[in-house]
Each structure stands twice: as C-alpha cells, then as structure tokens.
C-alpha cells in the first residue's frame, strides 16, 4: 500500500507533482548530495542525544516492515505510560514515524527531533520563518496522531540544539559513533546506527545542549492547511500511482528531479517541461533572472506561459537598477559571444599594494560541537592556503597550514596566518567569507579569554569588524561582479565558474605552467574536445584502503577533516596522511585559482 508519509507530505508541499516522482523512484539530486549527507550525520547524532533524556524509551526497530512497527506501537500504547522511539502511527492511508512519543495517561507528547539550530535567547517569533518547514512537518504528524487518537490531548514539540548554550564537554560529537548498516536494495534510504559511550551519560545529560520548543499554537493554526493538502494528495496514492499536475513556474528551475537513470530515461523535470522549447541561453541562466519584475509576480512566469524562455526575450524595461547593469552586460555579451572587461578594472589592478596574498580558509561546523565551550554550529577553522606575489612578474610562493591535532584550532590558525600575511601588502579573498571568519575568531578571543594583543590588533587592521570599518581585504568576487564577464560564467561569479571561463581564453604562459606542474605527478590543466576541463574536476581521488575519496569542494573538505580527526579514520596514520594530502591540494588550488584569475585580469589591462 502507498502510504502518505511525513517525507511525502514535505516534498509535496513544495510541489504536488514531486510526490509522484518520489513514489516512482525517479533519481534526485538529493540522493547523492554530499552536503545533505554531511548534515544528516549530524542529525543522527542529535537524534541519539535526544533519546538519552528518555531513559525508559523503547525503540520500534523493524527495518522496512511497517506493518510490524504499527502492530508493536499499538500494543505499547495500550499501556498507561510509555515512551517510544520511532513509533509508527497509521490512519486512513497516512503513516508517520514519530521520533519520540511519550504517553502519560490521556496525554501524548509528540516530539520531533531536528539538528536545525534554535537560539532560545532570541525568542520564537524572530526564528519562526526559518523554522516553517519543520513546523509543517510536526503539523502533519499532529494531524495523523489526532485522527488516530481523537480523545487524547496532544502536545507537539521540536527538540533542537540550542545555540545559546555552550558545551562543557571536550569532543562531545566523538561520543556518538555513526555506522551505516545494510539497507533494503529496493530503497534509497540509508539506515544508520549511532552508538554512544554510556560511561559519559550523566555528563551529557547535565550538559543539556538541546531545547524543547512547544509548537501547540503554530501547529493548530496549520491544521486546516494540512487537511486541505491531505485531501488533494491521498487520492493520487490509491491503486496505480497518479500524477498531480502542477502549473510549471520559476520554482521548477530548482527541481531536484532533473536526473535520469536506467529506469527513467527522461527526468521528472523534463516530463513536466516537455511542451516548452529548449533554448541555448535560458532566462534561468540570467543573473537574478528569477526575480525580474518583482518577487511576488516574477516576469519569468509570464515567459514560461508564453513558451519564450530565452534571456534575449526579456523586455528592456525590466533591466534596471544595480542588478540590471549586470544583467545587461550578460545579455549583450552572451549575444555577442565575447567576454567583457570594465574600463575600471585597470584602476583596481593598479591600486593594490604588493605583496599580494591570495588567501582561502576551510572551516567546519557541527550540530554537536567538537570542542569544549563551543555552541552548536559554531565555526571551527582548520586550514588556510596562501599564494603570494611579491611583484607583478615575481615568482609565485605558496604557504599553507592545516590543523592535525584534536584540539580547538582557531587561535593557532589565526596566529599562523598573521605570521604569513603580516601588515604589508594586499590580502585577497573570494567573497567576504574570510572576513567573516576573522571576525568570528576575534569575538571568540573574548569569549574564551584568549589573550594575544598582537593578534587582536592585527585582526582589527585586516578585517572589517563593524559597519563603516575599513579593511585591507580585497574581495575578488566583488571585482568579478563589477568588472568582468565571460559567457561561460552564465549568471555566476563563483570561483569554480570564473576559473574555467578564464582558462578558455589563456593559450600559453606561466598560468598554464602553474596548473600543468601543480605538484609532482599532478597536472590540473586539461582540454577535451576543444573545451577546458575545470581543474577542480581533475583533482585526483585519494585511495584509502578500498574507498576512493574526493576532496574538491568545501563539503568534501569538512567531511575529510571530520573523518581525519574525529571519525572512523582517527588514529589511522595511513588514512590521516591521505586526507592531509587531499585537503592541502584542494585548498592550494583555491588560492592558485585566484592568482590565475588575477594574472589574467592584469594581462587584459595592459
């Protein structure tokens, strides 16, 4: 039988048609999304932590046998008082699994555990909007539970890490080991088990890092919406699955069902859009094209209805304001098929002070903190890379730092960076992220009572800490946005889009040599069928026993660092050295990419 689960309800809330794709097993970008998987692992740890506060809890563990889970749940709920983990509740074609269900006589506490952070010092109203999808999740569970047990008082809760609290435990997240267990070959769901060091139970309970948020009012306000949605969704699940047609709109551009596989030779997205002619330069590629005409009634929806989706079909009167300047540059130069360089770029290039320090940081955040005194999701900064040019045509120098010890690294990180960058020259970053991280470290010095007046003064001199402050840091992403465009970038200015665009224009010289001789035995310059291969895609995988790992983005770096120091590979010198190699190589490419782009821009400015 096709039940309407809470995950079904959640995905259908974004688009009714997606329910069909999910139930039919269409491939989704979310299936192998590394960042979502990384967050999910934190969710498993939080889930286990939540259960520790209910020592009498009974887990309903039946694998994929829902009927058995339903039967066990109903039997346990015959007791006057009981606490269940993963209770299975079935009612009129709907099935939910409740993280924690506590029965106290005729009262039921419905507790949904999320790894999403909540700041109890800020109050609910300020955070309600960002919690909306989680509240809807609880509202659906409440609807089903109320329907099944109408005579009970039901109190719905969210149970989340509290960002206003700091852990008193060093290595809290290490107390929860995650392992993946066998899964149903017919399901994409990955089952994980989390084991906890029971000798630390009392310490963790006293640490009390979670917050229980009563959602009674919000959930009750949503019951009419839930009932309406259920009436629409349930009929499509009976007998043969039926597809609920949804009017296509600009939100479809973000649809996760845009992949194919052996069973689905046409993606879900293309099935919905089969009547819309494909164009070479769609408006979805245009810089902020989705909000042309305003957020409430974006013009792109009108374009979809007219089946005219080229960015060249956008009326001139909608291209206005600061965004419009960039949009006009993109439209005109995409039509001409050429790059654009602002006359102002030359002044930017000439105004820098050498040496130039191209810097990039790698950071990690965890729902359950790695170190004592940290809040949930507080930044841990574990790596920097710096390429330095002492003059316009000087040799390129590279330095780097990576934490390899299971201790809070932020202050050592900043001190080593200060020693490298010093007080002279221009430090360059890609986006304001590095400035944000230096500000975090600056504030952490006060919180942790870390005294280094030289470091504090240095951060005050290099970073923008308050509105109106000046900063030595130069943002290359902002420079690209204001002064450079290439059709291969489309509407993006991420370094991973700008780099291959620039390389497509470079024919020879030291830029090519820097990539060709990136490291001994590692060549990151590739050309296939006349097109440049993105160097990030050429970073070699590392072989750790029988596993092949690839660190080519920030998520991969976070995962590698976590595994290296706190995961299954901790203490394994072979794995540690492999991860170290991959992390250093990835971060080094980030700063080399900045140098390459800068040098190319300089060449264009004469």
């Amino acid at each position: 039988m096709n039940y309407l689960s809470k995950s079904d309800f959640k995905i259908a809330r974004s688009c009714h048609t997606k329910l069909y794709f999910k139930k039919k097993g269409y491939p989704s970008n979310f299936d192998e999304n590394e960042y979502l998987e990384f967050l999910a692992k934190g969710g498993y740890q939080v889930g286990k932590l939540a259960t520790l506060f209910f020592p009498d809890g009974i887990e309903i563990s039946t694998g994929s046998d829902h009927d058995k889970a339903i039967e066990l749940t109903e039997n346990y709920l015959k007791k006057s008082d009981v606490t269940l983990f993963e209770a299975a509740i079935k009612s009129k074609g709907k099935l939910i699994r409740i993280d924690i269900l506590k029965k106290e006589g005729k009262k039921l506490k419905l507790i949904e555990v999320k790894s999403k952070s909540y700041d109890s010092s800020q109050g609910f109203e300020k955070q309600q909007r960002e919690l909306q999808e989680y509240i809807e999740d609880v509202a659906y569970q409440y609807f089903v539970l109320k329907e099944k047990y109408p005579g009970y008082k039901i109190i719905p809760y969210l149970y989340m890490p509290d960002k206003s609290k700091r852990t008193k435990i060093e290595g809290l997240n290490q107390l929860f080991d995650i392992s993946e267990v066998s899964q149903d070959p017919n399901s994409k769901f990955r089952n994980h088990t989390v084991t906890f060091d029971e000798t630390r139970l009392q310490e963790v309970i006293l640490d009390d890092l979670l917050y229980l948020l009563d959602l009674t009012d919000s959930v009750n306000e949503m019951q009419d919406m839930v009932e309406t949605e259920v009436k629409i969704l349930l009929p499509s699940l009976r007998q043969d699955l039926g597809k609920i047609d949804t009017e296509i709109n600009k939100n479809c551009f973000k649809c996760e069902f845009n992949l194919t596989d052996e069973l689905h030779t046409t993606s879900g997205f293309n099935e919905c859009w089969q009547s819309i002619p494909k164009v070479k330069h769609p408006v979805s590629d245009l810089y902020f094209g989705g909000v042309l005409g305003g957020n409430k009634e974006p013009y792109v929806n009108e374009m979809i209805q007219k089946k005219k989706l080229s960015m060249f079909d956008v009326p001139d009167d909608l291209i206005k304001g600061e965004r419009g300047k960039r949009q006009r540059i993109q439209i005109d130069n995409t039509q001409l098929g050429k790059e654009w360089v602002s006359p102002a770029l030359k002044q930017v290039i000439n105004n820098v002070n050498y040496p130039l320090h191209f810097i990039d940081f790698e950071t990690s955040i965890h729902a359950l903190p790695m170190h004592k005194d940290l809040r949930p999701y507080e930044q841990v900064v574990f790596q920097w890379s710096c390429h330095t040019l002492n003059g316009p045509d000087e040799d390129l120098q590279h330095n780097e730092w990576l934490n390899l010890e299971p201790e809070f690294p932020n202050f050592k990180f900043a001190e080593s960076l200060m020693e490298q960058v010093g007080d002279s020259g221009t430090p360059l970053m890609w986006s304001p992220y590095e400035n944000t991280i230096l500000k975090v470290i600056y504030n952490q010095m006060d919180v942790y009572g870390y005294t280094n007046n030289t470091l504090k003064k240095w951060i005050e001199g290099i970073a923008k800490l308050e509105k109106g402050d000046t900063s030595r840091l130069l943002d290359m992403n902002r420079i690209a946005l204001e002064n450079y465009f290439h059709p291969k970038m489309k509407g993006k200015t991420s370094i991973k889009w700008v780099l291959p665009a620039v390389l497509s224009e470079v024919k020879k010289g030291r830029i090519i040599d820097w990539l060709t001789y990136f490291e001994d035995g590692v060549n990151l310059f590739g050309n296939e069928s006349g097109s440049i291969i993105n160097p990030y895609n050429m970073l070699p995988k590392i072989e750790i026993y029988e596993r092949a790992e690839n660190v080519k983005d920030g998520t991969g770096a976070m995962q590698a660092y976590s595994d290296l120091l706190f995961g299954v590979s901790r203490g394994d010198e072979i794995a540690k050295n492999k991860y170290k190699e991959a992390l250093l190589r990835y971060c080094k490419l980030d700063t080399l990419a900045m140098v390459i782009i800068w040098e190319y821009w300089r060449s264009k400015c004469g």
Side-chain angles (χ1 to χ4, degrees):
M1 180 175 177
N2 290 308
Y3 293 112
L4 182 67
S5 69
K6 64 179 182 179
S7 62
D8 294 336
F9 182 81
K10 178 181 177 180
I11 200 169
R13 282 289 291 150
S14 65
C15 168
H16 290 163
T17 311
K18 287 182 184 180
L19 179 59
Y20 175 83
F21 297 142
K22 178 179 183 290
K23 289 295 193 181
K24 283 289 190 179
Y26 279 61
S28 160
N29 289 326
F30 295 163
D31 294 341
E32 299 296 334
N33 187 303
E34 290 186 353
Y35 184 62
L36 293 179
E37 178 66 15
F38 179 79
L39 293 179
K41 287 181 178 178
Y44 299 133
Q45 291 182 317
V46 172
K48 182 65 175 181
L49 172 59
T51 64
L52 300 181
F53 291 87
F54 300 87
D56 59 339
I58 302 166
E59 183 170 5
I60 306 297
S61 180
T62 60
S64 59
D65 189 343
H66 296 307
D67 291 337
K68 183 64 176 176
I70 293 165
E71 180 185 351
L72 285 173
T73 299
E74 290 179 350
N75 286 335
Y76 278 121
L77 287 177
K78 291 175 183 176
K79 295 183 176 182
S80 175
D81 298 279
V82 69
T83 300
L84 302 176
F85 304 146
E86 293 298 320
I89 306 294
K90 180 187 74 169
S91 176
K92 300 178 182 178
K94 301 175 289 296
L95 174 66
I96 56 173
R97 301 296 295 263
I98 301 173
D99 290 337
I100 302 173
L101 180 62
K102 185 173 181 64
K103 182 185 179 188
E104 299 171 341
K106 297 294 285 185
K107 180 167 68 175
L108 295 170
K109 292 183 177 180
L110 188 169
I111 302 172
E112 173 72 6
V113 182
K114 293 293 184 186
S115 58
K116 168 73 177 174
S117 64
Y118 183 77
D119 190 338
S120 62
S121 68
Q122 295 295 313
F124 176 66
E125 288 186 2
K126 289 184 178 180
Q127 301 169 84
Q128 184 173 2
R129 186 172 179 180
E130 61 185 84
L131 292 173
Q132 187 69 14
E133 67 173 289
Y134 308 106
I135 299 172
E136 289 185 5
D137 186 335
V138 178
Y140 177 66
Q141 295 181 63
Y142 179 93
F143 180 85
V144 177
L145 190 60
K146 190 73 174 176
E147 188 176 71
K148 179 72 174 180
Y149 297 99
Y152 284 73
K153 178 181 179 181
I154 301 173
I155 308 173
Y157 297 92
L158 272 176
Y159 207 20
M160 300 169 287
D162 188 346
K163 287 179 70 174
S164 73
K165 298 178 181 178
R166 296 184 180 275
T167 182
K168 305 175 190 70
I169 301 172
E170 177 63 30
L172 174 63
N173 69 327
Q174 297 175 58
L175 304 181
F176 299 83
D177 281 335
I178 302 171
S179 59
E180 188 172 321
V181 298
S182 60
Q183 64 187 80
D184 184 341
N186 298 316
S187 171
K188 294 178 182 178
F189 178 73
R190 294 176 178 176
N191 194 13
H192 293 76
T193 59
V194 182
T195 55
F196 170 70
D197 183 352
E198 295 289 343
T199 64
R200 308 287 294 276
L201 176 61
Q202 194 58 31
E203 189 180 358
V204 169
I205 295 296
L206 291 173
D207 201 41
D208 191 23
L209 206 60
L210 303 183
Y211 185 81
L212 192 63
L213 178 64
D214 188 329
L215 293 177
T216 300
D217 291 341
S218 298
V219 162
N220 279 321
E221 288 171 3
M222 288 185 176
Q223 290 308 289
D224 287 345
M225 175 276 290
V226 173
E227 183 176 9
T228 299
E229 289 288 282
V230 167
K231 287 178 179 178
I232 295 170
L233 300 174
L234 272 182
S236 73
L237 301 183
R238 292 172 185 153
Q239 298 176 352
D240 292 336
L241 290 170
K243 186 191 294 183
I244 304 172
D245 291 328
T246 305
E247 185 176 20
I248 58 177
N249 57 61
K250 73 153 191 165
N251 294 328
C252 299
F253 296 148
K254 299 180 291 185
C255 181
E256 62 271 29
F257 293 102
N258 60 7
L259 303 176
T260 59
D261 60 16
E262 292 181 358
L263 295 177
H264 308 88
T265 55
T266 301
S267 71
F269 174 85
N270 283 331
E271 279 191 18
C272 291
W273 284 64
Q274 57 187 329
S275 66
I276 306 295
K278 289 183 171 59
V279 293
K280 187 175 182 181
H281 300 293
V283 69
S284 57
D285 285 347
L286 183 64
Y287 178 70
F288 279 92
V291 294
L292 286 167
N295 281 309
K296 290 186 177 180
E297 295 185 10
Y299 181 73
V300 66
N301 286 340
E302 187 175 328
M303 295 178 73
I304 292 169
Q305 291 172 5
K306 293 178 178 178
K307 299 185 179 181
K308 297 183 69 175
L309 276 180
S310 170
M311 69 173 69
F312 308 137
D313 294 326
V314 175
D316 288 342
D317 63 349
L318 291 182
I319 308 297
K320 54 189 177 183
E322 286 301 310
R323 287 177 182 170
K325 293 177 183 177
R326 182 69 183 182
Q327 291 167 340
R328 175 51 58 199
I329 289 166
Q330 182 181 350
I331 291 171
D332 291 349
N333 290 281
T334 299
Q335 208 158 21
L336 293 170
K338 67 176 187 180
E339 68 178 346
W340 170 84
V341 179
S342 163
L345 182 61
K346 184 172 183 177
Q347 184 178 355
V348 174
I349 297 293
N350 291 338
N351 278 353
V352 297
N353 296 314
Y354 284 86
L356 304 183
H357 304 286
F358 300 85
I359 59 174
D360 180 71
F361 304 163
E362 297 302 330
T363 65
S364 185
I365 57 172
H366 289 263
L368 301 187
M370 294 178 174
H371 304 289
K372 182 181 178 182
D373 294 325
L374 286 181
R375 292 186 176 108
Y377 294 107
E378 189 166 352
Q379 294 280 4
V380 172
V381 197
F382 62 84
Q383 181 179 9
W384 59 256
S385 171
C386 178
H387 274 91
T388 299
L389 281 171
N390 288 307
D393 297 304
E394 298 286 332
D395 290 338
L396 187 60
Q397 301 171 6
H398 179 249
N399 289 278
E400 58 198 358
W401 183 90
L402 172 65
N403 178 56
L404 294 173
E405 301 300 326
E407 59 186 29
F408 184 56
N410 290 20
F411 305 132
K412 287 184 178 179
F413 164 95
E415 288 165 345
S416 63
L417 182 70
M418 175 178 66
E419 185 177 342
Q420 172 62 30
V421 173
D423 296 311
S424 63
T426 303
L428 297 100
M429 58 186 178
W430 199 280
S431 89
Y433 186 66
E434 278 66 28
N435 186 94
T436 299
I437 294 303
L438 288 173
K439 184 177 178 179
V440 167
I441 295 173
Y442 182 84
N443 292 329
Q444 286 175 333
M445 291 179 72
D446 288 335
V447 171
Y448 298 105
Y450 189 79
T451 304
N452 184 333
N453 291 330
T454 303
L455 176 61
K456 202 160 193 179
K457 186 175 180 180
W458 179 77
I459 296 177
E460 289 170 351
I462 193 174
K464 182 177 181 178
L465 301 177
E466 302 290 344
K467 190 175 182 179
D469 285 356
T470 58
S471 169
R472 286 173 57 204
L473 290 163
L474 189 59
D475 181 359
M476 289 183 65
N477 183 73
R478 172 56 57 182
I479 296 172
L481 190 61
E482 295 177 351
N483 299 281
Y484 183 73
F485 172 77
H486 193 289
K488 291 183 182 296
M489 291 163 50
K490 300 182 179 180
K492 300 176 175 64
T493 54
S494 156
I495 197 169
K496 291 178 175 63
W497 284 83
V498 179
L499 177 62
V502 161
L503 289 175
S504 70
E505 300 293 334
V506 178
K507 307 303 178 187
K508 58 183 179 180
R510 65 179 188 164
I511 286 178
I512 304 299
D513 291 343
W514 286 333
L515 286 172
T516 303
Y517 306 106
F518 181 76
E519 286 178 2
D520 289 342
V522 178
N523 174 8
L524 298 184
F525 183 75
N527 193 310
E528 189 175 86
S529 304
S531 297
I532 290 293
I533 302 173
N534 190 329
Y536 287 94
N537 294 334
M538 297 182 68
L539 285 167
K541 291 184 177 182
I542 53 172
E543 299 290 336
I544 302 178
Y545 305 116
E546 296 182 357
R547 303 195 324 270
E549 301 283 351
N550 202 355
V551 178
K552 63 177 183 178
D553 55 29
T555 300
M558 277 195 290
Q559 290 177 316
Y561 178 72
S562 296
D563 194 24
L564 184 156
L565 289 184
F566 308 107
V568 294
S569 297
R570 67 179 182 268
D572 185 325
E573 287 301 313
I574 294 175
K576 182 176 181 178
N577 288 330
K578 288 285 189 180
Y579 275 132
K580 175 183 175 182
E581 175 186 326
L583 283 164
L584 292 175
R585 187 179 286 149
Y586 164 67
C587 202
K588 178 181 176 182
L589 177 56
D590 267 345
T591 51
L592 179 61
M594 295 166 66
V595 177
I596 289 170
I597 294 165
W598 181 267
E599 285 290 280
Y600 177 72
W601 286 347
R602 190 169 71 87
S603 73
K604 298 295 289 185
C605 294

